[in-house]
Amino acid sequence: LSDQQKISKSPFSQFKEVYLPPVLHPLNKTLVMGDQWKDVDSTQEKRRSFLYEFCKKYNSMKKLRTHLVHIVSRIYVEDRHKVLYCEVPKAGCSNWKRVLMVLNGLATSVRNISHDDVHYGKHLRKLDSYDLKGIYTRLNTYTKTIFVRDPLERLVSAFRDKFEHPNSYYHPVFGKAIIKKYRHNANGEALETGSGVKFKEFIQYLLDSHRPVGMDIHWEQVSKLCYPCLINYDFIGKFETLEEDANYFLQLVGAPAELKFPRFKDRHSSDERTSAEVVRQYLKELSKEERQLTYDFYYLDYLMFNYTSP
């Protein structure tokens, strides 16, 4: 193709690759009532500064280039209160989506929204469904938030949820492939159903550069889900302080006073929550080398969000 034909064929070519250096905008706190949020706010400012300094250093070492539409594909939009929320699975995302539905007027209470409605109802729009002008306008004017979790806690939580309970998708799609490749002398039933994947087998799959089946958002690194060094998130919440962070954020964006972040566990509510102690028990199944490699896999997430290495 001639240069002219290339230009006419690809009118948005200049948007395909972006490089957005981090900028630390001050948080708009005009809607926050009372001084009970002082400690939460102080913690928030430290997290924001830490991520900003990290990204400045990281971006100067390596210019990250990727497709804009891909970068924003995990971001949910709530237009009424001008909120962008990047979904990190296993870090309170189901309840966050319930909150966004209430904010958007799609439901009157977080309690009335089922798990299936949250995840399969297609009620909320994602940022990649807008045109380029719509994407840029929202990125530049909405309050952008991300909620993260200790990487290995998030990983173990995902494993327990998807492989230790009946699951009509993860067992046949991931389980069968994992058992077939990593279990010696697997019996017919395990190969047929994909049920009963062991944590060690799951880690072998995760660390394999030739995985028999691809990655999944439930254990993908946050750095690749939400691109925190390309998108300037205004608010960084943590699962470890989920309720107070979330309720402070709702104040910041002017949510109705009666709307509080829900406390209930979305599924498998009788199970013990995945804690540092639960993670330790699972890590015992791995060799020292496997533990190190698993940490290395999430190294960037540990650094970015200032989590202590296990």
Side-chain angles (χ1 to χ4, degrees):
L1 290 173
S2 70
D3 285 349
Q4 192 54 48
Q5 281 175 302
K6 282 178 189 168
I7 289 166
S8 63
K9 282 223 173 237
S10 178
F12 300 129
S13 59
Q14 72 266 37
F15 293 110
K16 279 189 176 173
E17 290 187 332
V18 294
Y19 170 58
L20 308 172
V23 180
L24 193 58
H25 298 295
L27 261 178
N28 181 353
K29 299 169 190 173
T30 52
L31 298 172
V32 177
M33 310 293 284
D35 57 1
Q36 81 232 49
W37 304 106
K38 213 186 303 181
D39 291 346
V40 188
D41 178 65
S42 169
T43 301
Q44 185 56 223
E45 291 301 343
K46 283 174 191 158
R47 287 178 192 162
R48 281 159 41 85
S49 298
F50 187 90
L51 182 62
Y52 170 72
E53 293 300 332
F54 171 84
C55 290
K56 206 161 64 167
K57 192 167 135 190
Y58 182 71
N59 277 356
S60 67
M61 293 186 292
K62 178 185 174 187
K63 238 182 183 188
L64 292 171
R65 294 192 173 276
T66 190
H67 291 259
L68 174 65
V69 172
H70 179 70
I71 288 172
V72 302
S73 64
R74 305 300 323 159
I75 296 179
Y76 284 89
V77 179
E78 198 285 285
D79 281 318
R80 281 187 176 185
H81 297 80
K82 299 190 172 180
V83 171
L84 297 181
Y85 162 71
C86 188
E87 177 188 28
V88 176
K90 310 313 296 175
C93 71
S94 300
N95 280 337
W96 257 118
K97 286 196 262 189
R98 287 185 172 93
V99 166
L100 293 178
M101 286 171 71
V102 173
L103 284 174
N104 215 16
L106 298 166
T108 53
S109 162
V110 290
R111 292 220 158 261
N112 304 334
I113 309 168
S114 71
H115 178 86
D116 284 357
D117 258 356
V118 165
H119 291 288
Y120 311 116
K122 309 284 185 209
H123 301 294
L124 296 166
R125 279 187 78 172
K126 286 187 178 171
L127 193 50
D128 63 354
S129 69
Y130 293 82
D131 62 16
L132 285 166
K133 187 184 177 195
I135 292 174
Y136 273 114
T137 301
R138 285 167 178 81
L139 278 176
N140 289 324
T141 58
Y142 284 22
T143 307
K144 301 173 288 297
T145 185
I146 180 175
F147 272 70
V148 298
R149 184 177 187 176
D150 175 277
L152 288 189
E153 258 186 46
R154 185 176 154 246
L155 176 70
V156 171
S157 177
F159 172 78
R160 294 174 75 201
D161 181 27
K162 304 306 177 195
F163 295 103
E164 292 185 351
H165 295 274
N167 192 297
S168 59
Y169 173 72
Y170 284 91
H171 291 202
V173 174
F174 286 87
K176 281 164 82 165
I178 288 170
I179 288 169
K180 185 178 178 185
K181 181 159 187 183
Y182 306 107
R183 185 177 300 178
H184 304 301
N185 306 319
N187 65 36
E189 189 188 350
L191 291 167
E192 181 64 32
T193 64
S195 298
V197 169
K198 295 179 173 66
F199 185 63
K200 189 180 178 76
E201 295 166 338
F202 173 65
I203 295 301
Q204 287 174 300
Y205 142 79
L206 185 78
L207 300 175
D208 190 347
S209 56
H210 301 289
R211 293 187 196 102
V213 60
M215 274 300 283
D216 181 85
I217 59 167
H218 291 85
W219 44 86
E220 180 67 277
Q221 299 104 318
V222 176
S223 54
K224 291 184 180 174
L225 288 172
C226 295
Y227 296 92
C229 282
L230 293 181
I231 293 170
N232 304 312
Y233 289 99
D234 303 293
F235 192 94
I236 300 141
K238 290 195 171 181
F239 185 80
E240 294 75 10
T241 48
L242 178 59
E243 257 184 83
E244 58 184 3
D245 288 350
N247 288 326
Y248 178 49
F249 180 79
L250 290 173
Q251 284 258 319
L252 284 169
V253 299
E258 66 275 10
L259 178 60
K260 298 286 183 277
F261 193 81
R263 293 178 171 207
F264 57 82
K265 197 167 185 273
D266 191 47
R267 289 201 303 172
H268 316 311
S269 53
S270 59
D271 286 7
E272 181 189 357
R273 277 195 188 271
T274 304
S275 61
E277 184 48 47
V278 170
V279 170
R280 265 195 290 277
Q281 298 307 315
Y282 279 81
L283 293 181
K284 282 179 183 175
E285 298 175 31
L286 309 180
S287 68
K288 192 176 177 184
E289 185 190 17
E290 286 168 331
R291 287 198 293 269
Q292 181 63 49
L293 289 170
T294 307
Y295 168 69
D296 293 346
F297 186 83
Y298 291 105
Y299 182 58
L300 207 52
D301 286 358
Y302 271 100
L303 284 185
M304 229 174 227
F305 300 106
N306 201 17
Y307 277 108
T308 310
S309 58

